[in-house]
Amino acid sequence: MTPLVLVHGFMGGSAQWDAEIAALSGTRPIIALDLPGFGANAHLPPIASIVGFAEWVLADLQARGVEAFHLLGHSMGGMIVQEVAHRAPTRVRQLVLYATGAIGVLPGRFETIAESKARARADGARATARRIAATWFREGAACPAYEGCAAIAESAAPDAIDAGLDAMQHWSGEAALPKLQQDTLIIWGDRDRTYPWRQIETLWQRIPTTHLAVVPRCAHAVHLENPDAFVPLLRQHLDAAG
C-alpha cells in the first residue's frame, strides 16, 4: 500500500497529526515528518530555502526506502511538497495542498514576513510561537486545540524560525503550477487568516487536475479544529487512487 507522507508547516511538527495518524493508520502506512529545526528535529541545522526543504524530504524518504508515496503539505509544507512534486513527479502519486499557496510573500497575511521576523527577534522564540499559533485557529487561544499546537510550535529553534521565514519570503512556485501532474486535493478553512481565498483560487485554477474542499468555521488549522471533517476528505481523495 502506498504510504501517505505528511509535511507540517512553519513551527509545526509530526505530533500535530495524531488524529489523522490514528484515523488512517489502519488503511495505509503514514509517515509524519519533522523538518530540520522543528518538532522532534529541532536539534538539526535549519534550512533557509523551500528547495532545500524539498531536497531534505526526498533524501529522508529515500533513506527510509520509500520510493512512491502520496504527499500532503500544510502551509509552508504545502510549498515544500509542490517542490517535491516537481523534482520527483513519478514518485508522488496523489497530492494534497492544505492551507497553502504558490507564493511565499502573501498579500493579506495577518502580518508581513518582515514584521514576523522583527517581532520574533524582539519577543523571543516562545512568545512568537504562542502568538503566531493563536492566529491559526478561528477562536485563537480559546480553541481547545491551541495549547497542544502552541507546545509543538514552542519546540522550534530560534534560528529555525528566522530561516523558515526567509525560506517563505524568497519562494514562488506560481509559474510552475501548470506543470504539476498529480491529481491534487486543495483544502482550505474559510476563516484562514494566513492564506486568503485568492491564493487558494490560484492553486485550484492553475493546477491541471484539482478538487477543492472548503471547510466552514475553520481557520488555518482545519485538521486540529475539525478532524472529523478533515479526515474523510483525505480518505476519499486517497481511495480514489485505488
Side-chain angles (χ1 to χ4, degrees), residues 35 47 49-61 79-85 87:
L35 297 169
I47 295 173
S49 73
I50 298 301
V51 169
F53 277 122
E55 291 173 346
W56 182 91
V57 168
L58 285 168
D60 183 82
L61 293 175
M79 304 176 195
I80 295 166
V81 303
Q82 288 175 59
E83 289 291 340
V84 171
R87 281 163 168 70

Side-chain angles (χ1 to χ4, degrees), residues 17-212:
W17 303 109
D18 285 351
E20 287 67 34
I21 292 170
L24 296 172
S25 60
T27 65
R28 67 184 64 251
I30 308 292
I31 301 171
L33 300 179
D34 286 284
L35 297 169
F38 300 99
N41 279 335
H43 62 285
L44 295 181
I47 295 173
S49 73
I50 298 301
V51 169
F53 277 122
E55 291 173 346
W56 182 91
V57 168
L58 285 168
D60 183 82
L61 293 175
Q62 191 71 44
R64 296 171 187 252
V66 178
E67 289 296 330
F69 47 90
H70 305 298
L71 190 57
L72 179 153
H74 176 224
S75 193
M76 184 181 79
M79 304 176 195
I80 295 166
V81 303
Q82 288 175 59
E83 289 291 340
V84 171
H86 290 308
R87 281 163 168 70
T90 61
R91 294 178 64 188
V92 181
R93 298 293 186 257
Q94 300 270 89
L95 193 60
V96 181
L97 301 180
Y98 159 40
T100 190
I103 56 175
V105 178
L106 298 171
R109 185 176 183 263
F110 65 93
E111 65 187 19
T112 67
I113 288 179
E115 287 172 327
S116 291
K117 291 176 72 172
R119 294 191 66 179
R121 294 188 184 108
D123 300 341
R126 184 178 184 274
T128 297
R130 296 188 66 82
R131 178 179 64 82
I132 291 182
T135 70
W136 298 339
F137 298 93
R138 185 170 64 93
E139 298 175 355
C143 179
Y146 165 74
E147 284 297 338
C149 183
I152 296 170
E154 287 176 27
S155 69
D159 52 352
I161 293 175
D162 202 56
L165 290 168
D166 279 342
M168 290 185 283
Q169 187 170 23
H170 298 112
W171 180 81
S172 174
E174 194 166 9
L177 291 179
K179 299 176 184 178
L180 284 173
Q181 303 173 10
Q182 294 79 13
D183 188 37
T184 302
L185 173 64
I186 299 166
I187 302 177
W188 182 64
D190 70 346
R191 291 294 180 260
D192 195 331
R193 300 179 183 89
T194 305
Y195 288 85
W197 164 247
R198 181 167 295 180
Q199 304 303 317
I200 306 305
E201 185 180 29
T202 296
L203 298 176
W204 181 38
Q205 291 186 344
R206 298 193 61 188
I207 297 172
T209 305
T210 57
H211 316 279
L212 174 65

